[in-house]
Amino acid sequence: MKNKTGFNPLSRTAAHQRAMARNMVTSLFRFERITTTKAKAKEVRKAAEKLITRSKVDSVHNRRTAAKFIQDEKILNKLFTEIGPRMKERNGGYTRILKLGFRQGDAADVVILELVDYKLPSSEEEKPAKAKKAEKTEAKKPAAKKAPAKKAASKAKTAEKAAPAEEAK
């Protein structure tokens, strides 16, 4: 009998379930929004919400407990310095599942799992980043300034060639 099974094994071994949950929770905290299947999202949400609850209080014990699950130090630091303090006022329900539709190949329910306070990046925020990149690339290209000088020299040579031809006429 399968009475009171508290989780969905997702047709995977225990090690695969654990590895998949770790990877997906890490991705959720890195990007704050991931696309996956409904069954996986429901399982990942359990682990993610427990870690966010721990991250509300930044203590050595809580960091070590979370570090057992999240292997990436940058993401662990982000969890305790950014995500945890943002969720300080909430008493749970840190994630949201948005339905997208069905996957083409196997008709699995596809959903977006995101943090509740996730905001879509606006086009205004993207423009300064692109402008900064453009400034950096322009600063690195001193050879681009030499190219017009070569063009001017080649124009002068063509003008010299044209001048004797005009004198001959």
Side-chain angles (χ1 to χ4, degrees):
M1 269 193 225
K2 295 181 73 176
N3 291 338
K4 296 200 175 188
T5 54
F7 63 96
N8 182 355
L10 300 170
S11 300
R12 288 164 170 78
T13 61
H16 191 182
Q17 289 170 31
R18 194 167 37 253
M20 185 198 65
R22 282 180 170 180
N23 289 332
M24 291 185 76
V25 167
T26 303
S27 295
L28 176 65
F29 293 149
R30 176 177 288 133
F31 303 113
E32 298 187 11
R33 184 180 209 189
I34 57 173
T35 304
T36 184
T37 61
K38 186 177 178 182
K40 287 180 191 174
K42 285 185 172 182
E43 287 300 310
V44 168
R45 178 173 59 176
K46 293 175 188 175
E49 296 213 358
K50 288 177 183 176
L51 287 170
I52 291 173
T53 301
R54 281 219 176 256
S55 70
K56 289 162 100 178
V57 178
D58 191 1
S59 67
V60 175
H61 176 69
N62 286 344
R63 277 189 181 260
R64 287 181 179 168
T65 306
K68 289 179 185 177
F69 203 82
I70 298 175
Q71 302 295 317
D72 191 350
E73 288 183 24
K74 290 180 182 176
I75 303 304
L76 184 66
N77 192 31
K78 179 181 179 181
L79 176 65
F80 279 90
T81 58
E82 294 177 25
I83 298 171
R86 279 192 337 220
M87 304 290 185
K88 202 81 157 168
E89 300 301 318
R90 287 187 161 273
N91 292 326
Y94 311 114
T95 58
R96 165 190 307 136
I97 294 179
L98 304 170
K99 295 178 184 177
L100 285 180
F102 300 100
R103 193 160 53 193
Q104 183 73 34
D106 59 356
D109 287 331
V110 179
V111 299
I112 293 175
L113 176 66
E114 68 180 10
L115 297 179
V116 172
D117 61 353
Y118 177 79
K119 291 184 178 71
L120 289 172
S122 65
S123 59
E124 294 174 3
E125 293 176 3
E126 294 174 4
K127 287 180 183 176
K130 290 180 181 177
K132 289 178 185 177
K133 288 180 183 178
E135 290 174 6
K136 288 180 182 178
T137 55
E138 288 176 8
K140 291 181 181 179
K141 293 183 181 178
K145 294 178 182 176
K146 294 179 184 177
K150 290 180 182 178
K151 288 181 182 177
S154 64
K155 287 180 183 177
K157 289 180 184 177
T158 55
E160 290 173 8
K161 290 178 183 177
E166 290 174 7
E167 291 174 8
K169 291 182 185 177

